[in-house]
Amino acid sequence: MKEIKSIGVLTSGGDAPGMNACIRSVTRAAIYQGWKVYGVYRGYEGLINDDVKEMTTESVSNTIQRGGTILKTARSEEFRTFEGRQKAYATMKKHEMDALIVIGGNGSLAGAQELAKECDIPVIGLPGTIDNDLYGTDATIGYDTALNTIMECVDKIRDTATSHDRIFFVEVMGRDAGFLAQNSAIAAGAEAAIIPEDNTDIDQLATFIGRGIRKSKNSSIVIVSEKDGGAMHYAERVRTEYPEYDVRVSILGHLQRGGTPTAKDRILASRLGVASIEALKEGQRNIMVGISNDDIVYVPISRAVKWDKPIDKELINVLSILSI
């Protein structure tokens, strides 16, 4: 196996709080090993267009507390093509990068897998997404911060809901994963969470109306995953089917992606960054570095992006019990 002397690092897809802490960790851990580090700007698009700069320890000073990503991020349609990936590989060869570390979510890691397969290069994925939907890791970088952001927003919305005797449907991110919705509902004391994983034939809205609206409650908060019409869909149903209730919608949107990362996200990002360099030293390739029961784990990228990460059904039970 070729000895590694130089690596590239990039962030791809949606930004997540803690990505800068991860870039910092990867950069400094690699320099500690005596390796060169190249920061690739604007994700795979930057790799195609040679938007690359050598990183130093100073490059990542005073970044651990910053949200977003100093390397910028973008989605790249060209990288989805074989020709685009060959251009990206040409940039790697030009700068003599021996391996690539990709910080991102499902699509970003799937792209890394394609590049690794076609060009026979070591690639390490690091789970950077607020959705927490990558299989094989208990938590993803940015998830804890987003969860806290949602909780703080819902706490504020609760004040208005209570003052006006209203039902608020609060839409959160997560796409096909309900981790943010379910856990923020528990943390914020919401009456219900409507999530993709709870996809039985039972009408989740009817269940909530039948169970959640009681004489002892003059307001309710329902956290809704953004899938299938999201909060607007359910609010419209209430207006049509249960017109006696006063309904409002709050869509939190990109608010959830921003902000200073929590201590938990900074520590996770730092650990995963160092572990990615350790993995390369060990000769690992085409794996995602994750965390399980507070231990670092290596998961094949193919498994991380293809397997569905199950939500703990006990969480659904907990919310049901506590929302009486």
Side-chain angles (χ1 to χ4, degrees), residues 4 7 9 18 27 35 88 114 132 138 146 149 262 273 284 288 292 295 304 314:
I4 291 175
I7 65 163
V9 58
T27 300
W35 298 352
E114 285 297 307
N132 196 35
D138 291 345
T149 298
T262 59
Q284 297 283 347
M288 178 191 79
S292 179
D295 288 328
E314 180 60 25

Side-chain angles (χ1 to χ4, degrees), residues 155-287:
D155 286 349
K156 291 177 171 65
I157 289 168
R158 170 81 69 184
D159 294 343
T160 295
T162 305
S163 299
H164 293 272
D165 293 352
R166 285 173 177 159
I167 300 173
F168 262 89
F169 286 93
V170 181
E171 183 177 304
V172 301
M173 287 179 166
R175 288 194 306 184
D176 297 324
F179 296 97
L180 281 174
Q182 190 66 44
N183 283 299
S184 64
I186 293 171
E191 280 64 39
I194 298 177
I195 60 172
E197 291 88 346
D198 198 9
N199 58 355
T200 59
D201 292 334
I202 298 168
D203 185 334
Q204 292 185 68
L205 180 63
T207 302
F208 157 66
I209 293 291
R211 171 180 57 78
I213 304 291
R214 303 194 185 284
K215 288 179 183 176
S216 62
K217 292 194 173 183
N218 56 11
S219 69
S220 288
I221 305 277
V222 183
I223 312 290
V224 184
S225 192
E226 64 189 342
K227 192 178 162 119
D228 298 332
M232 295 297 290
H233 165 73
Y234 288 100
E236 203 50 50
R237 275 196 57 194
V238 170
R239 290 187 186 109
T240 304
E241 299 170 33
Y242 309 95
E244 66 271 28
Y245 296 120
D246 188 10
V247 181
R248 294 291 186 275
V249 168
S250 186
I251 299 172
L252 299 186
H254 289 83
L255 181 72
Q256 298 158 82
R257 281 201 188 152
T260 300
T262 59
K264 193 170 182 180
D265 269 331
R266 297 184 200 195
I267 294 164
L268 175 64
S270 298
R271 289 183 67 188
L272 295 182
V274 169
S276 68
I277 302 303
E278 294 294 326
L280 286 173
K281 271 175 57 190
E282 293 171 14
Q284 297 283 347
R285 53 196 290 152
N286 308 343
I287 54 110

Side-chain angles (χ1 to χ4, degrees), residues 2 30-31 36:
K2 184 182 176 185
I31 291 170
K36 266 190 179 181

Side-chain angles (χ1 to χ4, degrees), residues 98-114:
D98 302 312
L100 184 67
I101 293 177
V102 174
I103 307 164
N106 200 295
S108 303
L109 267 54
Q113 184 186 14
E114 285 297 307

Side-chain angles (χ1 to χ4, degrees), residues 4 22-23 35 38 77 88 101 135 181 188 196 265 273 283 296 300 303 316:
I4 291 175
C22 196
I23 295 164
W35 298 352
Y38 289 97
E77 287 304 316
I101 293 177
Y135 180 87
D265 269 331
I296 294 292
R303 190 176 296 177
I316 298 172

